[in-house]
Amino acid sequence: MKSADRPVDVLPAEKLAKTPGSADADASTFLISETFVSRQGEGSLTGQSSVFLRTSGCNLRCWFCDTPYASWNPEGTRQTIDELLQLVSDADTSHVVLTGGEPLVASGIVQLVDRLREAGNHVTIETAGTVDPGVRCDLLSLSPKLRASTPDENEHPRWAKLHEQRRLPIQTMRTLIQSAEATQVKFVVDSADEMTEIDEVISQLRVSPEQVWLMPQGVSVQELDAAKPWLLSIAESRGYHYCDRMHIRWYGNRRGT
């Protein structure tokens, strides 16, 4: 599946970092960086053929973001809800993954999710959980951002401040969890030193260990292989899942996968 064949629409980050319902947000279309059909590579639905709809625009700026074309340098084409529903209808799967960027900052996201589910689709939302537009989904794939995710304050002073202010609203995350049919909580782990913070966040979110997935920070098979032994051991010792990034193993770190 390919995105609509139109000129790329590139907008500044400030324009795309709106919260839902802002006065100048456009609910009639979504800025979509890419759409594709692939196998889910992470979490409880690993291996499931799914339609991926990647919105462009994010209110955070993780230094390790592997989709900068949807966050640091957001780009894409404008598509309507009807166009996106048709893309999904044309695919040979009823599993839909909304990802980003941060899909929950897109005005109109609640209407899109509702219509996808009304059409009989299973909807997963990949989100950092920083905003709650009132959405309900089949699987909330929540990825809280840890302290180490903040970009360098010398290189990006404005975004470092905004990122730190926005990255971990626990009550908002709890509300999103309560509204979802099912939840998985995924953490990108760069060091074993982050486990104290991870355990604290899990306790604050009040989720069970079997809902937690630990995923290595890395965009190559070599980085995944290097992290797996120590991270798998940590996950097993706490009753968490180890979350490999199978799309990187299957396809490499590239767009459309």
Side-chain angles (χ1 to χ4, degrees), residues 146-148 187-200 214-217 226-235 237-238 240:
L146 304 175
R147 285 189 291 269
F187 292 90
V188 176
V189 187
D190 195 40
S191 165
D193 295 337
E194 294 174 301
M195 288 310 303
T196 298
E197 183 182 4
I198 289 172
D199 291 339
E200 289 174 355
L214 304 185
M215 181 169 60
Q217 195 287 115
K228 184 174 181 178
W230 63 264
L231 188 54
L232 176 60
S233 177
I234 288 174
S237 71
R238 287 166 162 79
Y240 304 156

Side-chain angles (χ1 to χ4, degrees), residues 17 19 58-60 129-131 158-159 161-169 173:
T19 54
C58 190
N59 61 341
L60 299 180
T130 58
V131 295
R158 176 176 176 272
W159 274 116
K161 181 178 180 180
L162 288 173
H163 183 98
E164 188 59 30
Q165 289 173 345
R166 297 169 173 174
R167 66 177 177 83
L168 203 64
M173 294 179 183

